[in-house]
Amino acid sequence: MCSDELMGVKTPISLKELNEIFPSYGFTKLMPTSSGIIDTTYIVHTDSTGYILKRYERDIPHKIELDIQLLNQLKSAGLNVPVCLDSKYGWFIYEKLIGKHPINVKSYHIQALARFMAKMHKETSKGKCRSNIILEDEVTESLKYVKANFFGYYKRFEFLKNFTHKHDAIIHGDIFKDNTIFNGKKIGVIDFIDSSCGTFAYDAAVALVGFDARGHHNYFINLFLKNYNQHAPRKLKKSEVIEKMKTAANFFALKRVHEYKNTKRARELLT
């Protein structure tokens, strides 16, 4: 198996070991994923059902607990998210949503995305959220690395040193295409583990960057806002979303330089 295929696996596990940990499932297939560079993710199957198997390679037990609570809350509100079904010895079994990641973004993707995010924000706005210091520390650490190793890029990213969020509520903060699943025109959203306090405008901006809105600029942004503002806890202005899109594109480009140790993946977001 080539190294790219193991990108999503930091802690290997065999099918036999998995069935010893979770004997009631009767797993018949275990497939490593190629997505993700931080946590271990497998797709696992029984004779009739697919699941996602995860192991978090970070010491974040409280964050995992909050993630599970958030997923349950959103699921109860009728949103298509994968709840945690079981956990043992650091391994977590999640629902596997039916569908596939979008490739070529169409209008119905943007409409479904906007409606999902509006309903999610309406739900998370019911509760309080805490400081965003972890995310701000991540920016500081990434800037330090890029300054030492990719100084030309550091000058571009330097403005992010004042990166902070006002705290509207909990946001996903990472809704790129590979964190969404479409079954026809029905959207599901996955990977909430790094959700944090933030602004709804920034969350929308990240999603629009992730869904190629810059290539269709006004049309996709207008379509998103038309659908989002019909259901959201507060309406977003186009000007604030466009401003946040610049921040979002540079933030994720910075993360890619830091995490992948090169600039190829970053340039995709900076063009």
Side-chain angles (χ1 to χ4, degrees), residues 18 22 24-31 33 41-54 82-86 92-97:
L18 179 61
F22 299 103
S24 64
Y25 287 83
F27 293 115
T28 57
K29 187 182 293 186
L30 173 70
M31 298 181 293
T33 65
T41 306
Y42 285 91
I43 298 172
V44 296
H45 288 270
T46 64
D47 287 335
S48 59
T49 308
Y51 302 89
I52 299 297
L53 175 70
K54 290 191 74 78
V83 297
C84 183
L85 302 173
D86 210 342
F92 295 82
I93 297 174
Y94 288 85
E95 290 179 311
K96 183 178 183 295
L97 301 186

Side-chain angles (χ1 to χ4, degrees), residues 58-60 62-63 66 130-142 163 167 193-197 251:
R58 297 167 279 175
D59 186 19
I60 52 170
H62 182 61
K63 191 78 173 68
L66 291 176
R130 300 175 182 175
S131 167
N132 217 6
I133 190 66
I134 294 175
L135 189 59
E136 291 161 10
D137 285 348
E138 180 183 348
V139 173
T140 301
E141 181 183 349
S142 295
F163 181 90
H167 297 163
I193 190 63
D194 290 316
S195 59
S196 63
C197 293
F251 171 72

Side-chain angles (χ1 to χ4, degrees), residues 63-83:
K63 191 78 173 68
I64 296 169
E65 180 183 343
L66 291 176
D67 176 61
I68 291 171
Q69 291 174 4
L70 176 61
L71 290 170
N72 287 335
Q73 177 187 354
L74 297 179
K75 190 78 167 186
S76 296
L79 291 164
N80 188 25
V81 297
V83 297

Side-chain angles (χ1 to χ4, degrees), residues 172-223:
H172 186 290
D174 191 17
I175 303 185
F176 279 66
K177 287 184 288 187
D178 58 1
N179 278 335
T180 63
I181 305 290
F182 278 84
N183 183 16
K185 294 185 178 181
K186 180 182 179 182
I187 186 176
V189 176
I190 62 175
D191 203 5
F192 282 77
I193 190 63
D194 290 316
S195 59
S196 63
C197 293
T199 65
F200 299 147
Y202 180 78
D203 210 15
V206 171
L208 286 165
V209 169
F211 271 69
D212 308 324
R214 290 171 301 165
H216 302 80
H217 199 61
N218 281 320
Y219 174 67
F220 274 4
I221 295 173
N222 290 339
L223 184 63

Side-chain angles (χ1 to χ4, degrees), residues 103-117:
I103 299 174
N104 298 313
V105 179
K106 306 295 184 183
S107 295
Y108 71 85
H109 292 123
I110 298 295
Q111 292 170 308
L113 174 68
R115 290 192 292 267
F116 180 98
M117 294 186 71

Side-chain angles (χ1 to χ4, degrees), residues 100-169:
K100 56 186 179 181
H101 304 307
I103 299 174
N104 298 313
V105 179
K106 306 295 184 183
S107 295
Y108 71 85
H109 292 123
I110 298 295
Q111 292 170 308
L113 174 68
R115 290 192 292 267
F116 180 98
M117 294 186 71
K119 293 174 184 177
M120 178 183 73
H121 291 163
K122 188 174 183 179
E123 189 63 29
T124 61
S125 66
K126 296 175 181 177
K128 297 179 180 179
C129 66
R130 300 175 182 175
S131 167
N132 217 6
I133 190 66
I134 294 175
L135 189 59
E136 291 161 10
D137 285 348
E138 180 183 348
V139 173
T140 301
E141 181 183 349
S142 295
L143 282 172
K144 187 183 298 184
Y145 171 82
V146 173
K147 185 176 184 179
N149 296 279
F150 298 92
F151 189 74
Y153 276 83
Y154 171 76
K155 298 303 293 182
R156 176 158 190 167
F157 298 139
E158 189 177 13
F159 79 98
L160 291 171
K161 65 185 179 183
N162 298 318
F163 181 90
T164 188
H165 280 315
K166 294 179 181 178
H167 297 163
D168 283 342

